[in-house]
Amino acid sequence: MAISGIGPGSGDVAIVKNNGANTLTLSGTNTFGGGVTLANGTLALNSATALGATASTLTITGGTLTGTATIANGNAEKWNGDFSFGGYPPPPSTRAPER
């Protein structure tokens, strides 16, 4: 699943239940302020503002973090569990078919 350009608000983006084979891709200019939680599966950060507003926090308790961008907002990070850094692009089993 790919999400781009999430508008302002206080909601969270979370991957908490996942079989580990799926990827959520955040890209575009996101301005939400609720935070991002990765607990399982793969999170791909593909834009400098993928994590939303500066006040938004990235919390990781498991899963795989990957992406193509350097995060520019200086978002806070909480690493509360074991996780891995994946390369980009995601493995073929998690990519959308090419057209």
Side-chain angles (χ1 to χ4, degrees):
M1 173 188 285
I3 300 174
S4 179
I6 302 170
S10 59
D12 293 344
V13 174
I15 304 178
V16 292
K17 288 188 177 181
N18 191 324
N19 66 9
N22 297 316
T23 299
L24 173 65
T25 301
L26 296 178
S27 62
T29 302
N30 297 318
T31 58
F32 63 90
V36 176
T37 300
L38 172 62
N40 201 350
T42 299
L43 175 63
L45 304 176
N46 290 355
S47 76
T49 57
L51 292 174
T54 304
S56 180
T57 298
L58 171 63
T59 302
I60 304 173
T61 61
T64 301
L65 183 64
T66 187
T68 62
T70 300
I71 303 303
N73 282 354
N75 301 80
E77 300 173 8
K78 294 180 183 177
W79 297 5
N80 297 329
D82 293 335
F83 68 98
S84 61
F85 288 106
Y88 196 88
S93 64
T94 63
R95 281 192 297 222
E98 294 184 19
R99 299 180 192 254

